[in-house]
Amino acid sequence: MASTRTARRLAPYGFLAPAIILFGLFFALPIGYAVHLSLHSVQVKGLGLGRNAREEVWVGLDN
């Protein structure tokens, strides 16, 4: 009896889970990445070749 009650209480979340996951993947995640890119800048040393030739730097609102 208790397991049936629990299943009925959790069923709506099971139906909402795919929509919430897709919303996060295709809407919220790209917006978060765009905010991250807008607050950082890439500094290139020399020709930009090799290891440690590019460095991501926090620039905040100066970008």
Side-chain angles (χ1 to χ4, degrees):
M1 182 110 167
S3 64
T4 307
R5 200 175 302 154
T6 303
R8 284 187 179 203
R9 198 175 79 230
L10 295 177
Y13 299 108
F15 286 111
L16 286 174
I20 292 170
I21 291 170
L22 289 173
F23 175 82
L25 285 175
F26 294 107
F27 187 75
L29 193 65
I31 289 176
Y33 185 60
V35 170
H36 170 78
L37 287 178
S38 69
L39 298 175
H40 290 82
S41 180
V42 176
Q43 287 185 344
V44 179
K45 299 175 186 171
L47 295 175
L49 303 173
R51 187 184 298 182
N52 298 328
R54 295 172 185 236
E55 182 181 3
E56 193 170 289
V57 181
W58 171 264
V59 292
L61 297 176
D62 291 338
N63 198 5

